[in-house]
Amino acid sequence: MTHPDLHSLAHQSQDLLAAVRRDAPLVQCLTNFVSMNYAANAVLAIGASPAMVHAEEEAPEFARFAGAVVINIGTLSSPWLRSMLLTAQAAAEAGTPWVLDPVAHHATAFRRDAIQQLLDLEPAIIRGNASEIIALAGGHSAGKGVDARDAVAQAEQSAHDIAARRKSVVAVTGEVDYVTDGTRAVRIAGGSPLMPRVTATGCALSAVVGAFAAVSKDDPYVAAVAALSCFGIAGERAAVHADGPGSFAWRFLDALAALGADCLTRESPLR
Amino acid sequence: MTHPDLHSLAHQSQDLLAAVRRDAPLVQCLTNFVSMNYAANAVLAIGASPAMVHAEEEAPEFARFAGAVVINIGTLSSPWLRSMLLTAQAAAEAGTPWVLDPVAHHATAFRRDAIQQLLDLEPAIIRGNASEIIALAGGHSAGKGVDARDAVAQAEQSAHDIAARRKSVVAVTGEVDYVTDGTRAVRIAGGSPLMPRVTATGCALSAVVGAFAAVSKDDPYVAAVAALSCFGIAGERAAVHADGPGSFAWRFLDALAALGADCLTRESPLR
Amino acid sequence: MTHPDLHSLAHQSQDLLAAVRRDAPLVQCLTNFVSMNYAANAVLAIGASPAMVHAEEEAPEFARFAGAVVINIGTLSSPWLRSMLLTAQAAAEAGTPWVLDPVAHHATAFRRDAIQQLLDLEPAIIRGNASEIIALAGGHSAGKGVDARDAVAQAEQSAHDIAARRKSVVAVTGEVDYVTDGTRAVRIAGGSPLMPRVTATGCALSAVVGAFAAVSKDDPYVAAVAALSCFGIAGERAAVHADGPGSFAWRFLDALAALGADCLTRESPLR
């Protein structure tokens, strides 16, 4: 663990959650069809305002006044990729932080090419599962589809390499999450084994990372830590009364919305 | 309040709900990706038959035998806009009533242009939040994204102006809803503060307005009133046992499906 | 009933469920926007790994290493149809079984033409409601939209004709399901009247049929029977505590995930 002070990091996270709820930042998501509804509901539950605006005709314009942009390649196609590239560029020009979710980027030639173009537009934060982060660093991942088949611990070095090379914050999520900006690093516990059994949970997290990035433009590292902490705590709470993935999904939204003003310090999942 | 007789309006609404359940009209929705599932479930819950048919190759043809058409610009793009225009035109020619949901139409140049083209095709009913209706009338709205940042009361004059000019019914939804056709007007109470915290609730309402419009072609004003009344009552009921937005979302569908044969008269939310 | 031995068929189904959970096969779905989330969650709940990969640029490539492909024309458009045809062809070439869900294929000229092209690419399994199967065999169906307006019993002959002519397994779902490969046939009970009141339940079933087809490439008949049996039992269980379509939807996912190692033999819904 290279982070000097978990206590202070938890307090900074807590302050960001308060800021999200106070400012209700506009989070523009260019995300996949599977996750659109669940991600929008997660962004609302945390207290921000989701805007699923993706078309080339307007997405770059929108990025100039959005609080943050989230780009997720889950159900990629050529028109969407074109719009994602223009929107990421507009975000960069406007100083709007943007988050990249490289869903299954190693699965096909089309994705492998797309992800390189997106990476070159300098996302503030990259959020993926272990298989995606390992493959992003050029390693050999066990995953074929959208599900992780590697453990987060195996992806920590990859995350560090990408963060250092790309000057991005990298967040790897799984049983215990790992966040690094190449200098600082922290692990985040909590969550539930039911989370990977509900589709779009990871995509929803990337959208919520965007909500925090919008209120923490100068420090995307803390934004990622805060968002993952919220998911860790809410996931653990939702699992208590869940009878399976169906009941977990909505209990998780309730738990996100119910996160209290001191949960991130009192029950800090930082390790 | 300019409506002469709330009692009679409640009875007409109740009759329309019975007609929806008896006829199960086909409601064609060209709606956004975020709301498709929830809107289809709401249309099913009220007793109608949803058909999410949007492609240019078939949507205009479908509009000729649908009971009503609902057009929602939430996740607009050029191919969808082209299809929406052709479908609205086909609906108009066939005498199929169509409902317009002008989601965030003031957010970008692309939307501002699109909404003018759609308005010219004479929707029977326009359903939006206060910020959208104020902007539609040419006023200055506080909203930037999809969420309303204005109160319904501030939008009543705008709604009246649009209704009178466009010969459309205009329904503004929020804490207390307002429906007018330029001559008649009514307020509708009920609902819950959780409704704007669940994405696509407004879009689902526009789809359900379509279900009522299909069985009330000669009086879209009553159709809008009936649909909003159902949402008001079901929203209030769903909130009783909801612990947050996640549990509200499914309880609301249960409540819509459970609306009884006399709820709109016994618990009339008309004001 | 022409199936010689329901007892043995139930055991084969149970073995396939164990195989799905052991192998977690990759199920590629080109499905409609309404069902994407729910279908992915159903595939996860049964124990497989969903991949919603649809773009022409990558879907055919993906089909070569997917365990099965599911093609559903619910929200069809020209770019999607082109990709579906290329993907079905790639699946056929690679020996990947593919499942066809001919949603409302008789509603418009565009669909009627599309479905013929897809049928010619030899799906291993066709899953539809009674109206769709009757229309597929050239009969006159009562359905206009996506909902069935005919009973399964009226579609059994049509199913048999298609299966014999196309050398496909045909599964007709409704109050009591019917599955045939032209030689064998079986009826499957269970389920709940709430199932047609939840949108995308049928689409989710087609996706789950794909999960079973992936682990039973040599016998798609048993794959279809196993998937429908799981839906029959889970649907019955979910209905016990459901208060309406909203609560049924998530309880059904919980019930799918909770199906035990001997449910398909102990509570066999085969008739």
Side-chain angles (χ1 to χ4, degrees), chain C residues 145-178:
Chain C
V146 300
D147 298 323
R149 307 233 167 171
D150 301 280
V152 174
Q154 295 171 272
E156 292 189 359
Q157 186 60 48
S158 298
H160 186 272
D161 292 351
I162 299 165
R165 194 168 68 221
R166 294 278 180 183
K167 307 210 182 313
S168 273
V169 171
V170 178
V172 198
T173 54
E175 211 172 326
V176 176
D177 305 333
Y178 180 77

PDB file of all heavy atoms in Angstrom, chain C residues 145-178:
ATOM      1  N   GLY C 145     -48.976  -7.265 -33.338  1.00  0.00           N
ATOM      2  CA  GLY C 145     -47.729  -6.727 -32.809  1.00  0.00           C
ATOM      3  C   GLY C 145     -46.849  -7.826 -32.260  1.00  0.00           C
ATOM      4  O   GLY C 145     -46.712  -8.888 -32.878  1.00  0.00           O
ATOM      5  N   VAL C 146     -46.258  -7.579 -31.104  1.00  0.00           N
ATOM      6  CA  VAL C 146     -45.341  -8.547 -30.545  1.00  0.00           C
ATOM      7  C   VAL C 146     -46.050  -9.565 -29.652  1.00  0.00           C
ATOM      8  O   VAL C 146     -45.466 -10.581 -29.300  1.00  0.00           O
ATOM      9  CB  VAL C 146     -44.226  -7.849 -29.716  1.00  0.00           C
ATOM     10  CG1 VAL C 146     -43.425  -6.899 -30.597  1.00  0.00           C
ATOM     11  CG2 VAL C 146     -44.792  -7.109 -28.531  1.00  0.00           C
ATOM     12  N   ASP C 147     -47.279  -9.306 -29.266  1.00  0.00           N
ATOM     13  CA  ASP C 147     -47.967 -10.220 -28.366  1.00  0.00           C
ATOM     14  C   ASP C 147     -48.690 -11.309 -29.139  1.00  0.00           C
ATOM     15  O   ASP C 147     -49.215 -11.087 -30.219  1.00  0.00           O
ATOM     16  CB  ASP C 147     -48.987  -9.455 -27.512  1.00  0.00           C
ATOM     17  CG  ASP C 147     -48.306  -8.419 -26.633  1.00  0.00           C
ATOM     18  OD1 ASP C 147     -47.204  -8.708 -26.142  1.00  0.00           O
ATOM     19  OD2 ASP C 147     -48.879  -7.331 -26.452  1.00  0.00           O
ATOM     20  N   ALA C 148     -48.706 -12.502 -28.545  1.00  0.00           N
ATOM     21  CA  ALA C 148     -49.423 -13.617 -29.159  1.00  0.00           C
ATOM     22  C   ALA C 148     -50.916 -13.419 -28.993  1.00  0.00           C
ATOM     23  O   ALA C 148     -51.376 -12.970 -27.960  1.00  0.00           O
ATOM     24  CB  ALA C 148     -49.006 -14.923 -28.492  1.00  0.00           C
ATOM     25  N   ARG C 149     -51.663 -13.710 -30.025  1.00  0.00           N
ATOM     26  CA  ARG C 149     -53.121 -13.683 -29.912  1.00  0.00           C
ATOM     27  C   ARG C 149     -53.695 -15.050 -30.301  1.00  0.00           C
ATOM     28  O   ARG C 149     -54.868 -15.177 -30.606  1.00  0.00           O
ATOM     29  CB  ARG C 149     -53.716 -12.559 -30.776  1.00  0.00           C
ATOM     30  CG  ARG C 149     -53.093 -11.195 -30.490  1.00  0.00           C
ATOM     31  CD  ARG C 149     -54.124 -10.125 -30.177  1.00  0.00           C
ATOM     32  NE  ARG C 149     -53.460  -8.957 -29.612  1.00  0.00           N
ATOM     33  CZ  ARG C 149     -54.060  -7.791 -29.388  1.00  0.00           C
ATOM     34  NH1 ARG C 149     -55.327  -7.638 -29.691  1.00  0.00           N
ATOM     35  NH2 ARG C 149     -53.414  -6.781 -28.854  1.00  0.00           N
ATOM     36  N   ASP C 150     -52.821 -16.033 -30.374  1.00  0.00           N
ATOM     37  CA  ASP C 150     -53.259 -17.394 -30.656  1.00  0.00           C
ATOM     38  C   ASP C 150     -52.768 -18.307 -29.527  1.00  0.00           C
ATOM     39  O   ASP C 150     -51.817 -17.973 -28.831  1.00  0.00           O
ATOM     40  CB  ASP C 150     -52.670 -17.879 -31.987  1.00  0.00           C
ATOM     41  CG  ASP C 150     -53.085 -16.986 -33.158  1.00  0.00           C
ATOM     42  OD1 ASP C 150     -54.208 -17.152 -33.648  1.00  0.00           O
ATOM     43  OD2 ASP C 150     -52.285 -16.109 -33.558  1.00  0.00           O
ATOM     44  N   ALA C 151     -53.398 -19.456 -29.364  1.00  0.00           N
ATOM     45  CA  ALA C 151     -52.973 -20.418 -28.348  1.00  0.00           C
ATOM     46  C   ALA C 151     -51.916 -21.353 -28.934  1.00  0.00           C
ATOM     47  O   ALA C 151     -51.889 -21.609 -30.135  1.00  0.00           O
ATOM     48  CB  ALA C 151     -54.162 -21.216 -27.856  1.00  0.00           C
ATOM     49  N   VAL C 152     -51.047 -21.835 -28.051  1.00  0.00           N
ATOM     50  CA  VAL C 152     -49.974 -22.724 -28.496  1.00  0.00           C
ATOM     51  C   VAL C 152     -50.532 -23.955 -29.217  1.00  0.00           C
ATOM     52  O   VAL C 152     -49.988 -24.384 -30.246  1.00  0.00           O
ATOM     53  CB  VAL C 152     -49.090 -23.149 -27.296  1.00  0.00           C
ATOM     54  CG1 VAL C 152     -48.064 -24.192 -27.733  1.00  0.00           C
ATOM     55  CG2 VAL C 152     -48.379 -21.932 -26.697  1.00  0.00           C
ATOM     56  N   ALA C 153     -51.631 -24.507 -28.701  1.00  0.00           N
ATOM     57  CA  ALA C 153     -52.188 -25.729 -29.296  1.00  0.00           C
ATOM     58  C   ALA C 153     -52.478 -25.534 -30.785  1.00  0.00           C
ATOM     59  O   ALA C 153     -52.293 -26.451 -31.590  1.00  0.00           O
ATOM     60  CB  ALA C 153     -53.460 -26.137 -28.552  1.00  0.00           C
ATOM     61  N   GLN C 154     -52.889 -24.318 -31.157  1.00  0.00           N
ATOM     62  CA  GLN C 154     -53.174 -24.043 -32.571  1.00  0.00           C
ATOM     63  C   GLN C 154     -51.901 -23.960 -33.409  1.00  0.00           C
ATOM     64  O   GLN C 154     -51.971 -23.950 -34.634  1.00  0.00           O
ATOM     65  CB  GLN C 154     -53.925 -22.706 -32.700  1.00  0.00           C
ATOM     66  CG  GLN C 154     -55.306 -22.730 -32.063  1.00  0.00           C
ATOM     67  CD  GLN C 154     -55.897 -21.326 -32.032  1.00  0.00           C
ATOM     68  OE1 GLN C 154     -55.672 -20.583 -31.087  1.00  0.00           O
ATOM     69  NE2 GLN C 154     -56.632 -20.975 -33.085  1.00  0.00           N
ATOM     70  N   ALA C 155     -50.754 -23.833 -32.736  1.00  0.00           N
ATOM     71  CA  ALA C 155     -49.500 -23.654 -33.459  1.00  0.00           C
ATOM     72  C   ALA C 155     -48.684 -24.938 -33.543  1.00  0.00           C
ATOM     73  O   ALA C 155     -47.625 -24.958 -34.181  1.00  0.00           O
ATOM     74  CB  ALA C 155     -48.670 -22.562 -32.782  1.00  0.00           C
ATOM     75  N   GLU C 156     -49.155 -26.008 -32.934  1.00  0.00           N
ATOM     76  CA  GLU C 156     -48.338 -27.225 -32.888  1.00  0.00           C
ATOM     77  C   GLU C 156     -48.091 -27.798 -34.280  1.00  0.00           C
ATOM     78  O   GLU C 156     -46.981 -28.215 -34.602  1.00  0.00           O
ATOM     79  CB  GLU C 156     -48.987 -28.271 -31.963  1.00  0.00           C
ATOM     80  CG  GLU C 156     -48.948 -27.831 -30.500  1.00  0.00           C
ATOM     81  CD  GLU C 156     -49.391 -28.919 -29.519  1.00  0.00           C
ATOM     82  OE1 GLU C 156     -49.750 -30.034 -29.973  1.00  0.00           O
ATOM     83  OE2 GLU C 156     -49.375 -28.652 -28.307  1.00  0.00           O
ATOM     84  N   GLN C 157     -49.127 -27.806 -35.098  1.00  0.00           N
ATOM     85  CA  GLN C 157     -48.951 -28.336 -36.453  1.00  0.00           C
ATOM     86  C   GLN C 157     -47.980 -27.468 -37.253  1.00  0.00           C
ATOM     87  O   GLN C 157     -47.119 -27.973 -37.977  1.00  0.00           O
ATOM     88  CB  GLN C 157     -50.313 -28.441 -37.169  1.00  0.00           C
ATOM     89  CG  GLN C 157     -50.240 -29.123 -38.528  1.00  0.00           C
ATOM     90  CD  GLN C 157     -49.706 -30.551 -38.436  1.00  0.00           C
ATOM     91  OE1 GLN C 157     -50.155 -31.346 -37.606  1.00  0.00           O
ATOM     92  NE2 GLN C 157     -48.706 -30.896 -39.258  1.00  0.00           N
ATOM     93  N   SER C 158     -48.123 -26.161 -37.110  1.00  0.00           N
ATOM     94  CA  SER C 158     -47.203 -25.238 -37.788  1.00  0.00           C
ATOM     95  C   SER C 158     -45.770 -25.498 -37.355  1.00  0.00           C
ATOM     96  O   SER C 158     -44.844 -25.521 -38.176  1.00  0.00           O
ATOM     97  CB  SER C 158     -47.560 -23.785 -37.455  1.00  0.00           C
ATOM     98  OG  SER C 158     -48.857 -23.490 -37.911  1.00  0.00           O
ATOM     99  N   ALA C 159     -45.574 -25.671 -36.048  1.00  0.00           N
ATOM    100  CA  ALA C 159     -44.231 -25.923 -35.525  1.00  0.00           C
ATOM    101  C   ALA C 159     -43.654 -27.189 -36.140  1.00  0.00           C
ATOM    102  O   ALA C 159     -42.490 -27.233 -36.560  1.00  0.00           O
ATOM    103  CB  ALA C 159     -44.273 -26.046 -34.005  1.00  0.00           C
ATOM    104  N   HIS C 160     -44.496 -28.204 -36.195  1.00  0.00           N
ATOM    105  CA  HIS C 160     -44.050 -29.474 -36.764  1.00  0.00           C
ATOM    106  C   HIS C 160     -43.660 -29.310 -38.232  1.00  0.00           C
ATOM    107  O   HIS C 160     -42.628 -29.817 -38.692  1.00  0.00           O
ATOM    108  CB  HIS C 160     -45.156 -30.521 -36.608  1.00  0.00           C
ATOM    109  CG  HIS C 160     -44.725 -31.876 -37.044  1.00  0.00           C
ATOM    110  ND1 HIS C 160     -44.838 -32.306 -38.339  1.00  0.00           N
ATOM    111  CD2 HIS C 160     -44.132 -32.879 -36.367  1.00  0.00           C
ATOM    112  CE1 HIS C 160     -44.345 -33.530 -38.443  1.00  0.00           C
ATOM    113  NE2 HIS C 160     -43.914 -33.902 -37.254  1.00  0.00           N
ATOM    114  N   ASP C 161     -44.467 -28.584 -38.980  1.00  0.00           N
ATOM    115  CA  ASP C 161     -44.192 -28.372 -40.406  1.00  0.00           C
ATOM    116  C   ASP C 161     -42.857 -27.644 -40.618  1.00  0.00           C
ATOM    117  O   ASP C 161     -42.063 -28.020 -41.471  1.00  0.00           O
ATOM    118  CB  ASP C 161     -45.313 -27.548 -41.050  1.00  0.00           C
ATOM    119  CG  ASP C 161     -46.627 -28.335 -41.110  1.00  0.00           C
ATOM    120  OD1 ASP C 161     -46.609 -29.553 -40.816  1.00  0.00           O
ATOM    121  OD2 ASP C 161     -47.664 -27.714 -41.422  1.00  0.00           O
ATOM    122  N   ILE C 162     -42.654 -26.581 -39.844  1.00  0.00           N
ATOM    123  CA  ILE C 162     -41.411 -25.818 -39.989  1.00  0.00           C
ATOM    124  C   ILE C 162     -40.209 -26.686 -39.620  1.00  0.00           C
ATOM    125  O   ILE C 162     -39.198 -26.703 -40.325  1.00  0.00           O
ATOM    126  CB  ILE C 162     -41.433 -24.561 -39.084  1.00  0.00           C
ATOM    127  CG1 ILE C 162     -42.595 -23.637 -39.477  1.00  0.00           C
ATOM    128  CG2 ILE C 162     -40.106 -23.802 -39.171  1.00  0.00           C
ATOM    129  CD1 ILE C 162     -42.910 -22.588 -38.435  1.00  0.00           C
ATOM    130  N   ALA C 163     -40.330 -27.402 -38.518  1.00  0.00           N
ATOM    131  CA  ALA C 163     -39.218 -28.246 -38.055  1.00  0.00           C
ATOM    132  C   ALA C 163     -38.849 -29.279 -39.114  1.00  0.00           C
ATOM    133  O   ALA C 163     -37.670 -29.506 -39.400  1.00  0.00           O
ATOM    134  CB  ALA C 163     -39.588 -28.930 -36.740  1.00  0.00           C
ATOM    135  N   ALA C 164     -39.865 -29.880 -39.701  1.00  0.00           N
ATOM    136  CA  ALA C 164     -39.599 -30.921 -40.700  1.00  0.00           C
ATOM    137  C   ALA C 164     -38.989 -30.322 -41.959  1.00  0.00           C
ATOM    138  O   ALA C 164     -38.038 -30.861 -42.532  1.00  0.00           O
ATOM    139  CB  ALA C 164     -40.898 -31.665 -41.024  1.00  0.00           C
ATOM    140  N   ARG C 165     -39.525 -29.166 -42.374  1.00  0.00           N
ATOM    141  CA  ARG C 165     -39.067 -28.572 -43.623  1.00  0.00           C
ATOM    142  C   ARG C 165     -37.699 -27.937 -43.474  1.00  0.00           C
ATOM    143  O   ARG C 165     -36.861 -28.025 -44.371  1.00  0.00           O
ATOM    144  CB  ARG C 165     -40.088 -27.512 -44.059  1.00  0.00           C
ATOM    145  CG  ARG C 165     -39.931 -27.046 -45.483  1.00  0.00           C
ATOM    146  CD  ARG C 165     -41.146 -26.240 -45.915  1.00  0.00           C
ATOM    147  NE  ARG C 165     -41.222 -24.978 -45.207  1.00  0.00           N
ATOM    148  CZ  ARG C 165     -42.351 -24.433 -44.725  1.00  0.00           C
ATOM    149  NH1 ARG C 165     -43.516 -25.061 -44.865  1.00  0.00           N
ATOM    150  NH2 ARG C 165     -42.328 -23.269 -44.101  1.00  0.00           N
ATOM    151  N   ARG C 166     -37.471 -27.266 -42.334  1.00  0.00           N
ATOM    152  CA  ARG C 166     -36.249 -26.485 -42.140  1.00  0.00           C
ATOM    153  C   ARG C 166     -35.157 -27.260 -41.401  1.00  0.00           C
ATOM    154  O   ARG C 166     -34.051 -26.734 -41.238  1.00  0.00           O
ATOM    155  CB  ARG C 166     -36.572 -25.217 -41.328  1.00  0.00           C
ATOM    156  CG  ARG C 166     -37.486 -24.235 -42.042  1.00  0.00           C
ATOM    157  CD  ARG C 166     -36.691 -23.368 -43.016  1.00  0.00           C
ATOM    158  NE  ARG C 166     -37.541 -22.418 -43.709  1.00  0.00           N
ATOM    159  CZ  ARG C 166     -37.079 -21.597 -44.660  1.00  0.00           C
ATOM    160  NH1 ARG C 166     -35.797 -21.623 -45.022  1.00  0.00           N
ATOM    161  NH2 ARG C 166     -37.892 -20.768 -45.266  1.00  0.00           N
ATOM    162  N   LYS C 167     -35.475 -28.442 -40.901  1.00  0.00           N
ATOM    163  CA  LYS C 167     -34.538 -29.201 -40.076  1.00  0.00           C
ATOM    164  C   LYS C 167     -34.034 -28.353 -38.902  1.00  0.00           C
ATOM    165  O   LYS C 167     -32.853 -28.374 -38.541  1.00  0.00           O
ATOM    166  CB  LYS C 167     -33.367 -29.725 -40.906  1.00  0.00           C
ATOM    167  CG  LYS C 167     -33.821 -30.500 -42.133  1.00  0.00           C
ATOM    168  CD  LYS C 167     -32.883 -31.589 -42.565  1.00  0.00           C
ATOM    169  CE  LYS C 167     -33.391 -32.286 -43.820  1.00  0.00           C
ATOM    170  NZ  LYS C 167     -34.857 -32.658 -43.761  1.00  0.00           N
ATOM    171  N   SER C 168     -34.950 -27.571 -38.349  1.00  0.00           N
ATOM    172  CA  SER C 168     -34.685 -26.784 -37.141  1.00  0.00           C
ATOM    173  C   SER C 168     -35.503 -27.357 -35.999  1.00  0.00           C
ATOM    174  O   SER C 168     -36.547 -27.964 -36.228  1.00  0.00           O
ATOM    175  CB  SER C 168     -35.164 -25.336 -37.342  1.00  0.00           C
ATOM    176  OG  SER C 168     -34.186 -24.544 -37.947  1.00  0.00           O
ATOM    177  N   VAL C 169     -35.041 -27.130 -34.793  1.00  0.00           N
ATOM    178  CA  VAL C 169     -35.921 -27.338 -33.653  1.00  0.00           C
ATOM    179  C   VAL C 169     -36.825 -26.122 -33.555  1.00  0.00           C
ATOM    180  O   VAL C 169     -36.362 -24.990 -33.744  1.00  0.00           O
ATOM    181  CB  VAL C 169     -35.092 -27.495 -32.355  1.00  0.00           C
ATOM    182  CG1 VAL C 169     -35.996 -27.491 -31.132  1.00  0.00           C
ATOM    183  CG2 VAL C 169     -34.250 -28.761 -32.422  1.00  0.00           C
ATOM    184  N   VAL C 170     -38.120 -26.335 -33.306  1.00  0.00           N
ATOM    185  CA  VAL C 170     -39.044 -25.212 -33.144  1.00  0.00           C
ATOM    186  C   VAL C 170     -39.651 -25.265 -31.746  1.00  0.00           C
ATOM    187  O   VAL C 170     -40.176 -26.306 -31.332  1.00  0.00           O
ATOM    188  CB  VAL C 170     -40.155 -25.238 -34.222  1.00  0.00           C
ATOM    189  CG1 VAL C 170     -41.135 -24.086 -34.006  1.00  0.00           C
ATOM    190  CG2 VAL C 170     -39.534 -25.152 -35.618  1.00  0.00           C
ATOM    191  N   ALA C 171     -39.537 -24.148 -31.036  1.00  0.00           N
ATOM    192  CA  ALA C 171     -40.098 -24.054 -29.684  1.00  0.00           C
ATOM    193  C   ALA C 171     -41.160 -22.964 -29.671  1.00  0.00           C
ATOM    194  O   ALA C 171     -40.877 -21.812 -29.982  1.00  0.00           O
ATOM    195  CB  ALA C 171     -38.997 -23.725 -28.683  1.00  0.00           C
ATOM    196  N   VAL C 172     -42.388 -23.355 -29.350  1.00  0.00           N
ATOM    197  CA  VAL C 172     -43.497 -22.405 -29.264  1.00  0.00           C
ATOM    198  C   VAL C 172     -43.810 -22.203 -27.787  1.00  0.00           C
ATOM    199  O   VAL C 172     -44.080 -23.171 -27.072  1.00  0.00           O
ATOM    200  CB  VAL C 172     -44.781 -22.954 -29.924  1.00  0.00           C
ATOM    201  CG1 VAL C 172     -45.745 -21.811 -30.205  1.00  0.00           C
ATOM    202  CG2 VAL C 172     -44.464 -23.747 -31.170  1.00  0.00           C
ATOM    203  N   THR C 173     -43.790 -20.972 -27.341  1.00  0.00           N
ATOM    204  CA  THR C 173     -44.040 -20.751 -25.923  1.00  0.00           C
ATOM    205  C   THR C 173     -45.354 -20.018 -25.697  1.00  0.00           C
ATOM    206  O   THR C 173     -45.783 -19.199 -26.502  1.00  0.00           O
ATOM    207  CB  THR C 173     -42.888 -19.970 -25.279  1.00  0.00           C
ATOM    208  OG1 THR C 173     -42.660 -18.766 -26.012  1.00  0.00           O
ATOM    209  CG2 THR C 173     -41.603 -20.788 -25.300  1.00  0.00           C
ATOM    210  N   GLY C 174     -45.985 -20.373 -24.580  1.00  0.00           N
ATOM    211  CA  GLY C 174     -47.269 -19.807 -24.215  1.00  0.00           C
ATOM    212  C   GLY C 174     -47.706 -20.460 -22.916  1.00  0.00           C
ATOM    213  O   GLY C 174     -46.877 -20.794 -22.084  1.00  0.00           O
ATOM    214  N   GLU C 175     -49.004 -20.661 -22.768  1.00  0.00           N
ATOM    215  CA  GLU C 175     -49.481 -21.216 -21.505  1.00  0.00           C
ATOM    216  C   GLU C 175     -48.834 -22.586 -21.247  1.00  0.00           C
ATOM    217  O   GLU C 175     -48.325 -22.849 -20.166  1.00  0.00           O
ATOM    218  CB  GLU C 175     -51.003 -21.321 -21.542  1.00  0.00           C
ATOM    219  CG  GLU C 175     -51.628 -21.145 -20.179  1.00  0.00           C
ATOM    220  CD  GLU C 175     -53.140 -21.065 -20.271  1.00  0.00           C
ATOM    221  OE1 GLU C 175     -53.658 -20.512 -21.269  1.00  0.00           O
ATOM    222  OE2 GLU C 175     -53.799 -21.569 -19.356  1.00  0.00           O
ATOM    223  N   VAL C 176     -48.884 -23.458 -22.251  1.00  0.00           N
ATOM    224  CA  VAL C 176     -48.113 -24.708 -22.228  1.00  0.00           C
ATOM    225  C   VAL C 176     -47.236 -24.686 -23.466  1.00  0.00           C
ATOM    226  O   VAL C 176     -47.734 -24.511 -24.576  1.00  0.00           O
ATOM    227  CB  VAL C 176     -49.034 -25.949 -22.251  1.00  0.00           C
ATOM    228  CG1 VAL C 176     -48.198 -27.226 -22.328  1.00  0.00           C
ATOM    229  CG2 VAL C 176     -49.928 -25.972 -21.022  1.00  0.00           C
ATOM    230  N   ASP C 177     -45.943 -24.846 -23.280  1.00  0.00           N
ATOM    231  CA  ASP C 177     -45.021 -24.753 -24.413  1.00  0.00           C
ATOM    232  C   ASP C 177     -45.018 -26.046 -25.234  1.00  0.00           C
ATOM    233  O   ASP C 177     -45.445 -27.096 -24.759  1.00  0.00           O
ATOM    234  CB  ASP C 177     -43.587 -24.499 -23.918  1.00  0.00           C
ATOM    235  CG  ASP C 177     -43.476 -23.282 -23.025  1.00  0.00           C
ATOM    236  OD1 ASP C 177     -44.292 -22.356 -23.162  1.00  0.00           O
ATOM    237  OD2 ASP C 177     -42.553 -23.267 -22.177  1.00  0.00           O
ATOM    238  N   TYR C 178     -44.492 -25.927 -26.419  1.00  0.00           N
ATOM    239  CA  TYR C 178     -44.383 -27.101 -27.303  1.00  0.00           C
ATOM    240  C   TYR C 178     -43.041 -27.030 -28.015  1.00  0.00           C
ATOM    241  O   TYR C 178     -42.695 -25.999 -28.583  1.00  0.00           O
ATOM    242  CB  TYR C 178     -45.528 -27.061 -28.319  1.00  0.00           C
ATOM    243  CG  TYR C 178     -45.568 -28.211 -29.301  1.00  0.00           C
ATOM    244  CD1 TYR C 178     -46.046 -29.460 -28.916  1.00  0.00           C
ATOM    245  CD2 TYR C 178     -45.135 -28.040 -30.613  1.00  0.00           C
ATOM    246  CE1 TYR C 178     -46.092 -30.520 -29.821  1.00  0.00           C
ATOM    247  CE2 TYR C 178     -45.194 -29.087 -31.528  1.00  0.00           C
ATOM    248  CZ  TYR C 178     -45.675 -30.328 -31.129  1.00  0.00           C
ATOM    249  OH  TYR C 178     -45.726 -31.360 -32.026  1.00  0.00           O
TER     250      TYR C 178
END
